[in-house]
């Protein structure tokens, strides 16, 4: 059966590109139902879209019954995906506020289908914190955004705000169709990267973690439909699309950010390499090299995972262990001590495992004593294997409730 796309078009100069987009989607074999806002009809005519989509175009909420073939609720229900391209700042603000004062906004409020938004606007509007806040809020609610491109804008200025390339919008759509959305409706909290523990204003203690494992997990969880919060220490990676990134530096900041989101999380995956110790005191001024030997007094950082394990309700809790010796004993002890549902243990002595590299060699440990030894694989593949297990664990938990 053909997939149905409800394409919302709002009143931006980029609305003319929606005609090309409609044509591309129809050629790819999708059923496209177009809803336009009144303002959009000033830029491109419903007749153009009707001809290209081969379906009636909907504009008014209260059209006469002859043309009222599909009400907004049935359009909302019929959609496999709702795509709004271009989406104006005004439309996005309305959506964030939950308004439903025209057919398109009412459809969006009613639909349970995944929603993709491709904004297009002037750079000043795009950068305005009010707009950014609405977009951020919608991302947190699970809306997918295909962010605008940079370039010359219709208003004559240059900056971010041009409707993304149509190919990019179509890829985002196809990604949703190809992905299995087993985690849809779930909130997955992932931590990644190292932490930095300040010694003085210019120095810190840290480790070699690149963040690659945690970012791969965040991306996998997102692609499988979850709302993802990624709490990340400093690393040089692009955050995966659609993920809500919370940058942190210290173990304490990571602790605070994780605790803040723990209550709403269904799954927590702690891939971060949290520093275990921090300087007891952070010197206010840069420490001078007067002494031949210097002693730093260190204290323990909060063990975030231990805290989560001690306080978890029904969340699936996944921990990591990077070991160089006695892997099995250490892993089993850690799994129990931290009250985890799954522990992913890396043997750092194996080639292709651990920090910085793109591959990993891991063994999965479960509380019932079972283990799964995985071959060397890319971090992306390991992320997939971990998310597969998380989905199984979620289903078992649900059955037990
Ligand atoms: O006990 P160990 O540090 O080996 O445990 C590693 C696991 O615990 C990782 O999942 C890591 O993210 C987490 N951890 C933590 N807070 C710490 C230290 C480790 O959450 N302070």
């Amino acid at each position: 059966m053909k997939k149905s796309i409800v394409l919302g078009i709002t009143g931006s100069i980029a609305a003319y590109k929606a005609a090309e987009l409609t044509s591309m989607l129809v050629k790819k074999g999708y059923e496209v139902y177009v809803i336009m806002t009144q303002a959009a009809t000033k830029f491109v005519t419903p007749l153009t879209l009707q001809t290209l989509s081969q379906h009636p175009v909907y504009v008014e909420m209260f059209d006469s019954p002859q043309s009222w073939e599909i009400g907004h609720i049935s359009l909302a229900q019929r959609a496999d995906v709702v795509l709004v391209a271009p989406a104006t700042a005004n439309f996005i603000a309305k959506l964030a506020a939950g308004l439903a004062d025209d057919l398109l906004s009412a459809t969006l409020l009613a639909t349970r289908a995944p929603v993709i938004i491709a904004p297009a606007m002037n750079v000043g509007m795009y950068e305005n914190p009010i707009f950014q806040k609405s977009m951020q809020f919608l991302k947190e609610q699970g809306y997918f955004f295909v962010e605008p491109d940079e370039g010359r804008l219709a208003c004559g200025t240059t900056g971010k705000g041009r409707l993304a390339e149509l190919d990019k919008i179509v890829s985002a759509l196809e990604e949703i169709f190809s992905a299995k959305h087993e985690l849809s409706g779930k909130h997955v909290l992932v931590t990644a990267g190292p932490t930095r523990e300040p010694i003085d204003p210019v120095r810190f203690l840290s480790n070699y973690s690149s963040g690659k494992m945690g970012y791969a997990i965040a991306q996998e969880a997102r692609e499988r439909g979850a709302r993802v919060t990624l709490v990340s220490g400093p690393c040089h990676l692009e955050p995966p699309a659609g993920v809500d990134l919370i940058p942190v530096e210290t173990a304490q900041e990571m602790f605070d950010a994780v605790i803040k989101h723990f209550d709403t999380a269904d799954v927590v995956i702690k891939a971060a390499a949290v520093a275990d110790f921090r300087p007891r005191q952070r010197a206010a001024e840069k420490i001078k090299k007067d002494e031949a030997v210097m002693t730093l007094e260190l204290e323990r950082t909060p063990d975030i995972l231990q805290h989560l394990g001690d306080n978890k309700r029904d969340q699936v809790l996944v921990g990591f262990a990077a070991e160089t010796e006695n892997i099995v004993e250490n892993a089993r002890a850690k799994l129990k001590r931290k009250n985890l549902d799954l522990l992913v243990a890396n043997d750092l002595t194996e080639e292709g495992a651990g920090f910085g590299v793109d591959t990993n060699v891991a063994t999965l440990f479960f509380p019932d004593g079972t283990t799964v030894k995985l071959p060397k694989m890319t971090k992306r593949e390991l992320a997939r294997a971990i998310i597969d297990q998380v989905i199984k664990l979620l289903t078992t938990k649900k059955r037990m409730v």
Side-chain angles (χ1 to χ4, degrees):
M1 206 171 101
K2 280 188 169 183
K3 296 266 188 215
S4 294
I5 298 166
V6 169
L7 172 62
I9 307 175
T10 68
S12 147
I13 180 66
Y16 77 92
K17 297 183 184 169
E20 175 68 19
L21 182 61
T22 305
S23 161
M24 284 164 80
L25 295 173
V26 170
K27 275 189 205 136
K28 281 184 174 285
Y30 297 114
E31 294 283 1
V32 182
Y33 298 93
V34 175
I35 306 178
M36 299 173 80
T37 62
Q38 279 293 354
T41 64
K42 306 271 187 243
F43 292 93
V44 57
T45 71
L47 184 62
T48 308
L49 276 312
Q50 183 155 315
T51 313
L52 292 169
S53 70
Q54 296 151 23
H55 287 295
V57 167
Y58 303 89
V59 181
E60 297 288 349
M61 182 95 102
F62 305 107
D63 271 345
S64 56
Q66 307 84 289
S67 61
W68 185 240
E69 289 177 347
I70 313 174
H72 67 277
I73 299 299
S74 53
L75 267 179
Q77 283 166 349
R78 165 176 293 218
D80 290 304
V81 165
V82 179
L83 166 63
V84 186
T88 59
N90 178 62
F91 183 77
I92 290 167
K94 266 172 57 173
L95 195 57
L99 292 179
D101 62 354
D102 62 10
L103 185 58
L104 184 57
S105 50
T107 304
L108 273 139
L109 202 60
T111 192
R112 289 211 172 87
V115 176
I116 306 176
I117 313 258
M121 65 196 68
N122 154 275
V123 61
M125 291 168 108
Y126 178 78
E127 287 175 355
N128 190 310
I130 301 172
F131 168 75
Q132 287 291 329
K133 209 169 160 204
S134 301
M135 181 163 73
Q136 181 61 22
F137 171 71
L138 290 169
K139 282 183 182 173
E140 284 167 19
Q141 305 313 306
Y143 290 76
F144 295 86
F145 275 78
V146 186
E147 296 245 3
D149 288 336
E150 266 184 56
R152 235 188 77 78
L153 303 174
C155 50
T157 51
T158 308
K160 201 165 176 181
R162 289 168 64 111
L163 181 70
E165 290 296 328
L166 299 184
D167 282 344
K168 244 199 241 173
I169 299 175
V170 174
S171 308
L173 191 93
E174 298 201 312
E175 216 167 82
I176 289 186
F177 282 135
S178 65
K180 291 184 269 161
H181 274 105
E182 306 105 315
L183 286 177
S184 138
K186 300 285 180 215
H187 179 199
V188 177
L189 177 60
V190 182
T191 70
T195 64
R196 284 181 182 171
E197 309 303 328
I199 298 170
D200 67 16
V202 296
R203 304 184 181 97
F204 54 80
L205 289 178
S206 191
N207 57 63
Y208 287 118
S209 170
S210 62
K212 284 178 181 166
M213 193 64 241
Y215 278 56
I217 291 172
Q219 183 172 359
E220 181 67 22
R222 179 62 185 150
E223 284 176 10
R224 286 163 84 167
R227 167 160 90 85
V228 178
T229 305
L230 173 61
V231 179
S232 173
C235 35
H236 306 281
L237 299 172
E238 267 292 305
V243 158
D244 184 21
L245 176 77
I246 303 179
V248 295
E249 291 243 337
T250 63
Q252 187 61 49
E253 283 171 16
M254 186 172 278
F255 182 88
D256 295 341
V258 167
I259 297 308
K260 196 168 155 208
H261 290 91
F262 186 49
D263 257 0
T264 58
D266 300 288
V267 179
V268 186
I269 305 179
K270 285 233 67 235
V274 187
D276 292 319
F277 290 95
R278 65 185 168 206
R280 188 178 281 267
Q281 234 130 45
R282 177 185 189 274
E285 306 298 336
K286 186 179 168 195
I287 299 170
K288 297 271 180 287
K289 51 177 179 295
D290 300 338
E291 312 290 331
V293 175
M294 102 163 243
T295 307
L296 264 184
E297 205 182 347
L298 303 179
E299 64 181 9
R300 285 292 304 270
T301 54
D303 189 325
I304 308 168
L305 195 52
Q306 185 71 57
H307 180 87
L308 301 185
D310 292 341
N311 292 284
K312 78 172 175 186
R313 296 185 325 269
D314 52 359
Q315 290 98 336
V316 169
L317 206 53
V318 182
F320 275 71
E323 304 284 355
T324 54
E325 55 182 354
N326 302 332
I327 317 266
V328 176
E329 301 86 278
N330 284 334
R332 286 205 197 291
K334 201 166 292 179
L335 183 79
K336 195 158 191 287
R337 189 173 67 245
K338 299 199 181 193
N339 194 19
L340 306 178
D341 299 285
L342 166 60
L343 184 110
V344 184
N346 307 130
D347 182 349
L348 291 188
T349 61
E350 289 215 37
E351 199 203 311
F355 290 155
V357 291
D358 287 322
T359 52
N360 224 341
V361 189
T363 305
L364 310 183
F365 291 82
F366 296 90
D368 63 2
T370 54
T371 57
V372 178
K373 192 166 169 37
L374 298 169
K376 178 168 147 184
M377 52 175 69
T378 64
K379 288 187 174 171
R380 195 58 218 276
E381 286 166 335
L382 179 55
R384 201 162 300 143
I386 292 168
I387 295 294
D388 281 343
Q389 295 298 337
V390 162
I391 289 164
K392 278 193 208 157
L393 288 165
L394 275 170
T395 344
T396 340
K397 283 211 177 197
K398 224 189 285 158
R399 236 182 275 131
M400 287 182 334
V401 175

